[in-house]
């Protein structure tokens, strides 16, 4: 499981003359109009296909098993099974699709918990269509869609009594890393891309990817967002 999301979800066929297959998306929201709108927006992109729609979190796992989406666009508040629970269930299994949380709130405790559970980022429901499509493409390519500024805003605005314990845990985890891995982890926390980290730390992109994969494995994480959250918890970016 760990490190799986460093690989691009949009796998290119072995025959390089063929175009990449479309990014497969499952839309999950209890509002039929929201589902229809999202499906219409995403369906208008020639490299994205909506493979299904679900009205509640309890429908997600069967639909993921049946349709094999690359990305699940997940509402956070639903009547029977909320998006947080559905995300935790999905991300605990391998292979798992990437999850992008849909919310109407900038600072939501459930959004932060979903990111800690392995979601690749979140989008507000009023995100402009072009930005929504761009975000799905980014996640489909194995990249997170969460800026350090947004992460800091979330952590600062969500009341959480476990901050001290998490800081101690985060510092302990980071202490397990080599000096180079620690530098890479902090750069990931700052939202740097692999290419940017390679330039800053004078190493190849392949070496950066190897360091990121080792960090994911050491910490038993799913993706770079979780590395960034650990760096934030440790207080390294304040």
């Amino acid at each position: 499981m760990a490190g799986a999301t460093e690989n691009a979800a949009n796998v290119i066929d072995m025959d390089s003359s063929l175009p990449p297959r479309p990014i497969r998306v499952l839309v999950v929201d209890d509002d039929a109009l929201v589902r229809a709108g999202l499906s219409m927006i995403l369906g208008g992109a020639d490299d994205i296909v909506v493979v299904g729609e679900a009205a509640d979190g309890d429908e997600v796992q069967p639909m993921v098993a049946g349709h094999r989406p690359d990305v699940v666009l997940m509402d956070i508040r639903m009547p029977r099974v909320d998006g947080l629970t559905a995300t935790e269930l999905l991300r605990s299994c391998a292979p798992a699709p990437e999850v992008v949380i849909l919310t109407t709130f900038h600072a939501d405790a459930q959004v932060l918990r979903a990111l800690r559970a392995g979601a690749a980022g979140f989008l507000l429901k009023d995100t402009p269509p072009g930005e929504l499509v761009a975000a799905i493409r980014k996640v489909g390519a194995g990249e997170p869609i969460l800026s350090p500024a947004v992460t800091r805003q979330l952590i600062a605005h969500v009341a959480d009594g476990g901050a001290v314990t998490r800081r101690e845990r985060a510092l302990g985890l980071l202490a397990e890393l080599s000096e180079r891995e620690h530098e890479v982890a902090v750069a990931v926390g700052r939202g740097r891309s692999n290419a940017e980290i390679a330039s800053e730390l004078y190493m190849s992109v392949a070496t950066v990817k190897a360091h990121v994969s080792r960090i994911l494995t050491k910490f038993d994480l799913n993706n770079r967002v979780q590395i960034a959250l650990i760096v934030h918890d440790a207080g390294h970016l304040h």
Side-chain angles (χ1 to χ4, degrees), residues 212-232:
V212 171
S213 292
R214 279 197 293 273
I215 295 167
L216 291 169
T217 299
K218 282 186 176 183
F219 293 171
D220 193 26
L221 302 178
N222 291 290
N223 59 38
R224 297 165 73 101
V225 171
Q226 291 173 309
I227 295 176
L229 288 172
I230 287 173
V231 173
H232 280 274

Side-chain angles (χ1 to χ4, degrees), residues 30-135:
D30 62 335
D31 188 322
L33 288 177
V34 171
R35 293 198 307 274
L38 291 169
S39 295
M40 181 177 67
I41 291 168
L42 296 175
D46 56 12
D47 57 344
I48 297 173
V49 58
V50 176
V51 296
E53 298 179 10
D56 207 287
D58 58 3
E59 301 173 14
V60 173
Q61 283 190 299
M63 294 202 74
V64 166
H67 296 288
R68 299 294 179 189
D70 301 306
V71 179
V72 176
L73 203 50
M74 182 89 74
D75 187 18
I76 200 74
R77 289 179 172 82
M78 291 177 285
R80 297 190 300 274
V81 175
D82 61 67
L84 171 63
T85 302
T87 297
E88 290 173 335
L89 289 172
L90 275 184
R91 297 302 303 174
S92 66
C93 302
E98 297 292 355
V99 177
V100 176
I101 298 297
L102 277 172
T103 181
T104 54
F105 300 91
H106 283 279
D108 188 305
Q110 286 189 303
V111 171
L112 189 54
R113 286 176 60 195
L115 295 173
R116 295 190 190 283
F122 76 93
L123 293 169
L124 298 177
K125 288 190 177 182
D126 59 359
T127 298
E131 292 182 21
L132 174 65
V133 170

Side-chain angles (χ1 to χ4, degrees), residues 150-231:
V150 171
T151 304
R152 282 194 292 271
Q153 182 185 28
L154 270 173
I155 292 174
H157 285 78
V158 174
D160 192 340
V164 174
T165 301
R166 277 205 321 278
R167 184 172 189 272
E168 292 174 350
R169 174 181 174 272
L171 288 171
L173 287 171
L174 292 175
E176 298 175 10
L177 301 178
S178 68
E179 181 179 353
R180 217 51 170 149
E181 288 168 347
H182 188 279
E183 291 175 336
V184 170
V186 171
V188 169
R190 289 178 175 144
R192 303 292 194 265
S193 68
N194 287 340
E196 289 169 336
I197 297 172
S199 177
E200 289 177 5
L201 299 182
Y202 304 101
M203 60 177 70
S204 69
V205 171
T207 300
V208 174
K209 289 181 179 179
H211 281 311
V212 171
S213 292
R214 279 197 293 273
I215 295 167
L216 291 169
T217 299
K218 282 186 176 183
F219 293 171
D220 193 26
L221 302 178
N222 291 290
N223 59 38
R224 297 165 73 101
V225 171
Q226 291 173 309
I227 295 176
L229 288 172
I230 287 173
V231 173

